[in-house]
Amino acid sequence: MRPAVITAVAFAFGLVAITFAQDAGPDKTKAIMHAKLEHSQALLEGLATEDFARLAKHASTLSLLSLETDWNVIQTAEYRRLSEDFRRNTTKLTDAAKDKNLDGATLAYVGVTLKCVECHKYVRSVQVGVTP
Ligand code: HEC
């Protein structure tokens, strides 16, 4: 293929990618927000059955989710701080699970849950009708 053709094809793919990325926005945010709930339910199950591998897997997935662009629906310093707090707790939970420390993991789980509630309280205060 000639370079001009390759450039044109790459450009076309770029446009398609941008279009999809824009479409994905709100749906992806919704998917992430719901995934949080599923992962935190899996954490409770992991605690109840002392399944450290399950705990580590879902806690670290929660940490990663909180780094996604679509997580950051609110662009304020406070939202960033709340996200960092949340991640600190999910990391603590991951570490406790890796150390097979059930009490530590349970405590970190409570910390994670507190951060869910704290951030949603904040979101409700700045965006009426966004969070249940
Ligand atoms: C740093 C902030 C923050 C933290 C921490 C957080 N959330 Fe959220 N959550 C949000 C925001 C913002 C929304 C609303 C998104 C929107 O629809 O614009 C939301 C929405 C949700 C929704 C509703 C989705 C819908 O479709 O209505 C659920 C369920 C949810 N979060 C679960 C959780 C759980 C469980 C945790 C803790 C494990 C958690 N969240 C932690 C910010 C946060």
Side-chain angles (χ1 to χ4, degrees):
M1 243 193 275
R2 281 184 300 136
V5 175
I6 293 171
T7 308
V9 169
F11 183 71
F13 271 112
L15 281 185
V16 169
I18 289 168
T19 310
F20 272 105
Q22 282 171 345
D23 277 352
D27 278 352
K28 190 139 183 256
T29 298
K30 219 175 170 102
I32 286 183
M33 298 305 167
H34 273 284
K36 285 183 296 189
L37 189 57
E38 279 158 30
H39 290 297
S40 50
Q41 284 164 345
L43 288 178
L44 183 56
E45 194 179 341
L47 287 172
T49 58
E50 208 177 315
D51 185 341
F52 291 116
R54 190 183 188 84
L55 283 171
K57 179 177 151 211
H58 291 280
S60 57
T61 305
L62 276 172
S63 296
L64 289 176
L65 277 183
S66 75
L67 291 168
E68 293 258 352
T69 317
D70 293 281
W71 171 283
N72 294 308
V73 284
I74 300 171
Q75 311 281 336
T76 62
E78 180 65 1
Y79 190 82
R80 207 171 323 119
R81 186 191 67 79
L82 288 162
S83 297
E84 280 162 12
D85 269 4
F86 176 75
R87 202 152 47 243
R88 205 168 300 123
N89 281 279
T90 50
T91 305
K92 225 186 258 176
L93 182 36
T94 307
D95 292 345
K98 283 181 181 161
D99 291 343
K100 304 204 182 317
N101 173 359
L102 190 61
D103 292 341
T106 308
L107 216 57
Y109 172 78
V110 173
V112 169
T113 309
L114 283 174
K115 294 303 155 191
C116 305
V117 176
E118 195 183 330
C119 186
H120 286 188
K121 243 200 243 175
Y122 170 72
V123 172
R124 272 195 301 269
S125 76
V126 292
Q127 263 189 6
V128 176
V130 174
T131 315

